Every structure is written in C-alpha cells, then in structure tokens.
C-alpha cells in the first residue's frame, strides 16, 4: 500500500447468516480522499460488507479500525427520504445532528449542482425517481462527511441520470477530498469512477482481486485501450466464475 | 367538508325526505312522525334547554372516556410493540375484549356500578374504544418503515428526535384513522349506556321518549346525534386528515 492515510480498515471480517458463510477473513481498506469501489455480482456479499463497513450491521468477528473518528454519510440503494419533509427539510434533518443546519449556502450549492434548486420545497413524492436519488446523494454531502458510503446508487436510473450523478460525485469528491466507498455490480461504473476496485466473489467469500485505476478520472473513456483492457480483465474474472453447463447437454436434448 | 357536500348526496337526501314525508302522510305520527313534527319536537327540546344540557352531559362523558381510551391505547400499543412477551400475553386479551358484545359490558357495569350516572357510560365507552385505538396504532407500529429509522440512526440522530420526527409522523395517519373509528364507537356507546343505565344524557332522553311513545322526540334526538357525528367526521376529522396527509400523493 502507498503512504496514503487510511480512513477505514477492515481486518479478518467474518459474517454468516445461519449456516451460510458470506464473508470469510476479509480484509479491506479505504484511503483518505479516494473513491474505493467494491465490485461484485449479486449475492457476492456486497451489501453485507457495505453494512458492516458502514457500521449498520455487526460482523461475527474481525476488526474495524476508523481513523480520527470520521463522519460517515450514506446513500442507500433506494432513497430513504422522510416523506413528510420537503427536500430542504430532509437535508436539514441530518445536518442538525452535526450542528450544520445553518449552512444554507452549502445546501443551496448542492441543490444547484444536482439540478434540484427549484424543488427545495417539494415533498419527495413530488420528485421523480432520479430526482429522489439525487436528493439522497446531496443529503450525504450536506453533512460535510469524511466518508460517503454509496450502495449501488445508480441501480434503477436511466443513462442520462447516471452520467449526471457520476459527474456530480466525481466533482464534489475531487474538490472536497471526501472519501467515497462505492458499491456496484457494474464494471463500467467502477472503472469510470474508482481509484481502486475490490472485486468480491461469493466463491471466495471475500476479495478476489484488487485493481488500481491510474488514469485521471476526468479523462476516462471506456474506449481507451488501457481502460478497455482492464474492463476485459474484469469480465474474464467474472466469466471464469460462471460454472460450466456442458454436463446438462444430453439431458436438455432428451427432455425437450 | 368537501367530501360531504357533494351533489349526489344532497339529491339522495331530498329523495329520503320525500319518501319520509310521503310515508308519514299515510301513517300515524306515533309510528312515523312527519318532518314538520320532528322539527317541532327538536325546537321544543332546544327551547326548553334539555337539548344543550343533555348534549353537554353526553359529550363530556364521551370525551373523558374517549380521551382515556386514546391515551391507554397508544401506551398499550407502544408497550406491546416494544416487548414481545407482553405482546404474546396481552394481544389475545384485546381480541377477547373486542369480541365481547357491548350489551355484556353494560350489563356487567350495571351489576358492578349500579345505575351510576357517569360510571356506566364511561366504562362502556372506554372498553369499546380502547381495542379500536390499540389495534390501529399497533398495526401502524408493526408496519413502520424501519429503513427510515436505520437511516436516522446511521446519521447519528438522537433517540428523542427519531421518536418525534419519524415515529410520530409515521403513526399520524393510523392515529387519525383510529380516532375517527373510535369516536363513532364512543359516541354510540355513550348513548347506548345512557339508554340502559343512566338518568341523564341524550341516551336517557331517548329512553324517556321511547317509554312515553314520543316518536317525534325520538326522531329529534336522532337528528341531533347524527348531525353531531357528521360534524365530527366530515369537518373536524376531515381537517385533521388533510393536515396529517398533506405530504401524501393523493
């Protein structure tokens, strides 16, 4: 590892649900000021790991080390907005916990950046799905966090909203130095945003590989040969995990 | 009030009045008094002061018992939601109370308290309203969105703010619905208990009119009861409902 300061470190994490072991001796670290991505297919334990790292769930064993009592913020897979509060009130609700409720300029900036400046006084049900997700995202940044946990924030969004949000996260992260821990199942998403990618696989019950993306984030295009090669590598890793179905050929022929 | 004053309803009311008037024309006023006779009886009880006096007595009893039932129902729901042992112990008891016919409670109240002016109606209203409040609030608590609570905890929200800003607003729709249903129960139970075992209140006046075969007075008191219930349901509770669900997509 480089001499970058670690903000969060997970050592030898184990987690089972009844008899099902999900994570086994897992090690992971998030450095100050980076976008660290956890990439894995469905069922690989991404959300479990996310919840353990974020302190929302306890591990069966292992150690979680936080440096300098960092302030965490969260962007959940589906927006968790208070339906009886307006967009601005939703931000103030979390800001109050850190004495930041008077930071109106910050709120205004976030509303402007996310294109929600005309919807400050709207209730969540008056916003589209994409707008709600944007509100969920800026709520996280409204508490001036040290580390933001993003759990598949783009999952159910259209292409344009995805690009917009990616741009927004990238800009705020670059200029503020806030660390980000992003969970996704989409290799492209990971390659376009992350400085470092952990590949999680159910088969290993832990990290399969760690990839560093050196290219400056602003210039990244999937068509770039280097990035494309990395995408290919990731795809190969996932393909190698898919089980062989040849054994069923005879049965399929017979039974159909 | 908007829901109440709709054109079809007024048309229906006119039809009912026409049928009433037409029916009354062919029948003895002991069986069915006309609209005019009922109005006259209403005027009489209003002028004599019995209307206001009896109304206040019934309303006071209803509000005391209803208020106590609301408070007890909420506390009980919170306790049973929080402690599963309490839930397993007392939940069936609430169902038993709910399943027991009101006439049993009144009979028991007469045995226990005698023909006590206040105690019997208050006991019945409380016993009938409590399960309604409890069931609604308990269900609201069980169906509460725990994701929001997790979010609030994740953002280090103090417990008291979670209670005030998440639990309470989440429960308000269930509470208003409970208040609405329970008030109808309370109001009717109050009159029922007074009818059987009291010497004051609207129920008692109904019982007197009944024994005196004053059917016009029976109608007059019924009009008072129904009008008040409509006022509560379509004005007070409607306003409350609109207020608590202003953030909803209706």
């Amino acid at each position: 590892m480089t001499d970058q300061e670690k903000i969060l470190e997970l050592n030898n994490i184990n987690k089972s649900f009844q008899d099902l072991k999900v994570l086994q001796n897992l090690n992971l670290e998030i450095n100050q000021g980076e976008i660290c991505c956890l990439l894995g297919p469905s069922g690989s334990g991404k959300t479990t790991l996310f919840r353990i790292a974020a302190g929302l769930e306890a591990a069966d064993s292992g150690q979680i080390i936080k440096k300098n009592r960092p302030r965490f913020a969260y962007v959940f897979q589906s927006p968790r907005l208070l339906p009886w509060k307006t967009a601005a009130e939703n931000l103030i609700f979390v800001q109050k916990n850190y004495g930041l409720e008077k930071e109106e300029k910050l709120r205004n900036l976030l509303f402007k950046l996310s294109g929600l400046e005309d919807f400050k006084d709207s209730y969540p049900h008056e916003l589209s799905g994409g707008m709600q997700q944007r509100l969920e995202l800026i709520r996280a940044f409204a508490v001036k966090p040290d580390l933001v946990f993003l759990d598949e924030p783009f999952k159910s969004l259209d292409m344009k909203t995805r690009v917009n949000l990616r741009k927004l996260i990238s800009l705020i992260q670059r200029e503020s130095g806030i660390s980000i821990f992003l969970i996704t199942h989409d290799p492209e998403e990971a390659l376009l945003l992350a400085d470092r990618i952990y590949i999680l696989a159910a088969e290993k019950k832990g990290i399969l590989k760690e990839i560093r993306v050196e290219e400056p984030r602003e210039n990244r295009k999937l068509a770039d040969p280097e990035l494309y090669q990395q995408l290919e590598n990731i795809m190969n890793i996932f393909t190698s995990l898919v089980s062989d179905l040849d054994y069923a050929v005879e049965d399929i022929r017979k039974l159909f | 009030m908007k829901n109440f004053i709709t054109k079809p309803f007024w048309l229906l009311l006119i039809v009912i009045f026409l049928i009433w008037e037409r029916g009354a024309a062919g029948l003895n006023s002991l069986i069915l008094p006309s609209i005019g006779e009922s109005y006259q009886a209403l005027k009489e009880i209003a002028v004599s002061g019995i209307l206001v006096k009896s109304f206040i007595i019934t309303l006071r009893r209803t509000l005391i018992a209803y208020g106590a039932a609301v408070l007890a129902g909420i506390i009980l729901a919170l306790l049973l939601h929080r402690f599963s042992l309490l839930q397993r112990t007392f939940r069936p008891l609430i169902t038993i109370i709910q399943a027991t016919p009101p006439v049993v409670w009144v009979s028991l109240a007469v045995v226990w308290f005698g023909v006590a002016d206040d105690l019997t109606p208050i006991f019945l209203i409380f016993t009938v309203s409590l399960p309604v409040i409890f069931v609604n609030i308990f269900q609201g608590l069980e169906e509460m969105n725990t994701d929001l609570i997790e979010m609030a905890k994740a953002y280090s929200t103090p417990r008291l703010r979670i209670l005030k800003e998440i639990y309470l607003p989440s429960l308000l729709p269930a509470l208003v619905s409970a208040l609405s249903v329970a008030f109808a129960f309370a109001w009717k139970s109050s009159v029922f208990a007074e009818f059987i075992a009291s010497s004051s209140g609207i129920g008692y006046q109904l019982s007197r009119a009944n024994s005196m075969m004053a059917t016009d007075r029976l109608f007059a008191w019924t009009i008072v009861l129904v009008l008040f219930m409509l006022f509560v349901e379509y004005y007070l509770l409607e306003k409350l409902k609109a207020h608590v669900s202003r953030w909803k997509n209706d």
Side-chain angles (χ1 to χ4, degrees):
Chain A
M1 191 79 306
T2 62
D3 54 0
Q4 264 181 301
E5 201 187 330
K6 293 168 196 162
I7 189 165
L8 186 73
E9 204 177 330
L10 274 71
N11 295 329
N12 293 318
I13 297 294
N14 286 286
K15 179 77 184 175
S16 304
F17 291 106
Q18 273 110 33
D19 293 335
L20 182 71
K21 199 150 195 76
V22 184
L23 303 171
Q24 195 166 23
N25 297 326
L26 181 138
N27 296 299
L28 176 149
E29 57 203 29
I30 302 165
N31 298 320
Q32 184 74 54
E34 74 168 359
I35 299 187
C36 175
C37 177
L38 187 67
L39 175 69
S42 304
S44 57
K46 286 194 306 286
T47 299
T48 306
L49 179 55
F50 168 89
R51 292 179 60 80
I52 290 171
L56 301 173
E57 202 165 313
D60 296 338
S61 65
Q63 194 186 25
I64 299 171
I65 304 168
K66 297 174 196 171
K67 272 280 162 66
N68 304 327
R69 303 183 64 205
R71 181 178 296 167
F72 290 170
Y74 313 82
V75 177
F76 295 97
Q77 219 174 88
S78 17
R80 294 188 184 180
L81 302 164
L82 301 179
W84 45 84
K85 287 190 185 286
T86 61
E89 287 167 350
N90 263 285
L91 263 56
I92 295 169
F93 176 77
V94 290
Q95 283 185 313
K96 256 189 187 168
N97 300 334
Y98 309 97
L100 296 171
E101 66 272 26
K102 292 202 176 108
E103 297 264 356
E104 206 185 339
K105 276 187 184 163
L106 173 64
R107 279 197 298 276
N108 288 342
L109 173 70
L110 290 169
F111 276 124
K112 195 172 175 190
L113 281 172
S114 60
L116 292 173
E117 53 185 339
D118 295 332
F119 299 93
K120 283 181 218 171
D121 298 323
S122 303
Y123 287 101
H125 79 262
E126 294 168 325
L127 307 175
S128 70
M131 289 159 106
Q132 289 182 19
Q133 196 62 27
R134 272 183 271 165
L135 182 59
E136 170 91 5
L137 183 74
I138 62 168
R139 180 179 63 187
F141 288 110
V143 301
K144 295 189 177 177
D146 298 305
L147 174 60
V148 180
F149 290 89
L150 293 138
D151 185 8
E152 306 218 36
F154 315 109
K155 205 174 179 181
S156 50
L157 300 177
D158 63 90
M159 184 64 103
K160 192 184 151 209
T161 316
R162 278 163 173 254
V163 176
N164 263 331
L165 280 187
R166 225 161 38 210
K167 222 169 138 183
L168 182 64
I169 292 169
S170 193
L171 175 74
I172 297 178
Q173 194 281 330
R174 191 187 70 204
E175 299 306 321
S176 66
I178 292 171
S179 314
I180 287 177
F181 186 43
L182 167 75
I183 284 191
T184 182
H185 63 271
D186 183 352
E188 293 184 13
E189 208 81 75
L191 282 168
L192 289 170
L193 263 178
D195 300 308
R196 224 150 38 80
I197 302 169
Y198 284 110
I199 297 182
L200 195 68
E203 290 73 6
K204 210 197 156 195
K205 296 175 180 46
I207 306 296
L208 200 65
K209 199 173 165 55
E210 185 188 333
I211 295 173
R212 187 168 285 277
V213 190
E214 304 289 355
E215 189 101 0
R217 208 180 300 142
E218 303 76 63
N219 308 334
R220 289 183 204 169
K221 285 192 179 74
L222 285 171
D224 287 348
E226 210 172 302
L227 222 56
Y228 191 78
Q229 187 54 51
Q230 279 186 312
L231 179 66
E232 191 103 302
N233 292 343
I234 293 173
M235 295 310 242
N236 285 338
I237 293 171
F238 286 141
T239 314
S240 71
L241 297 174
V242 176
S243 40
D244 193 2
L245 297 178
D246 285 351
Y247 69 90
V249 170
E250 277 307 308
D251 283 344
I252 292 171
R253 281 183 192 155
K254 235 191 293 174
L255 295 169
F256 281 94
Chain B
M1 215 63 182
K2 193 173 64 193
N3 291 349
F4 180 57
I5 309 168
T6 53
K7 225 176 176 180
F9 173 74
W10 290 117
L11 285 175
L12 177 69
L13 205 62
I14 290 168
V15 172
I16 290 171
F17 279 174
L18 282 174
I19 296 173
W20 179 2
E21 199 58 18
R22 181 102 188 113
L27 291 167
N28 188 315
S29 64
L30 274 179
I31 297 169
L32 185 63
S34 67
I35 295 174
E37 284 165 333
S38 303
Y39 175 72
Q40 197 54 41
L42 187 62
K43 225 166 106 181
E44 274 169 31
I45 56 172
V47 172
S48 68
I50 302 172
L51 178 95
V52 175
K53 202 178 149 200
S54 303
F55 180 81
I56 288 173
I57 289 172
T58 303
L59 185 65
R60 185 180 60 85
R61 286 171 184 159
T62 309
L63 289 181
I64 290 172
Y66 175 75
V70 168
L71 206 65
I74 293 173
I75 293 171
L76 209 58
L78 285 168
L79 283 173
L80 266 64
H81 171 72
R82 178 73 182 76
F83 303 104
S84 71
L85 179 66
L86 285 181
Q87 190 190 135
R88 277 175 281 140
T89 315
F90 289 104
R91 185 69 184 82
L93 190 66
I94 306 270
T95 312
I96 292 170
I97 295 174
Q98 204 171 11
T100 310
V103 70
V104 174
W105 294 120
V106 175
S107 311
L108 284 174
V110 171
V111 174
W112 292 337
F113 313 123
V115 183
D117 261 2
D118 280 345
L119 268 180
T120 302
I122 287 175
F123 173 75
L124 183 70
I125 299 164
F126 182 82
T127 320
V128 167
S129 315
L130 178 75
V132 179
I133 299 282
F134 168 81
V135 168
N136 275 276
I137 302 293
F138 187 74
Q139 202 175 338
L141 283 165
E142 295 286 289
E143 287 166 4
M144 174 132 2
N145 186 343
T146 49
D147 281 355
L148 291 180
I149 295 161
E150 188 184 66
M151 178 279 294
K153 282 183 182 162
Y155 277 106
S156 314
T157 312
R159 211 176 273 182
L160 201 67
R161 274 191 72 213
I162 294 182
L163 199 68
K164 202 177 123 209
E165 298 193 45
I166 299 188
Y167 271 92
L168 196 65
S170 297
L171 280 181
L172 272 182
L175 181 64
V176 172
S177 142
L179 290 178
S180 165
V181 180
F183 193 82
F185 272 102
W187 189 236
K188 284 187 284 186
S189 309
S190 182
V191 175
F192 178 54
E194 286 169 352
F195 189 94
I196 306 267
S198 183
S199 55
S200 58
I202 297 179
Y204 168 69
Q205 296 300 337
L206 275 171
S207 147
R208 269 192 71 194
N210 191 40
S211 58
M212 286 157 57
M213 305 271 281
T215 319
D216 53 348
R217 282 207 169 192
L218 265 179
F219 270 74
W221 283 112
T222 309
I223 289 167
V224 172
L225 290 169
V226 170
L227 281 180
F228 179 66
M229 204 53 239
L230 289 175
F231 167 74
V232 172
E233 186 65 34
Y234 288 98
Y235 184 72
L236 292 184
L237 289 169
E238 203 64 27
K239 268 198 160 176
L240 198 61
K241 275 179 201 163
H243 181 72
V244 301
S245 58
R246 65 198 183 283
W247 48 271
K248 272 192 178 168
N249 189 13
D250 289 334

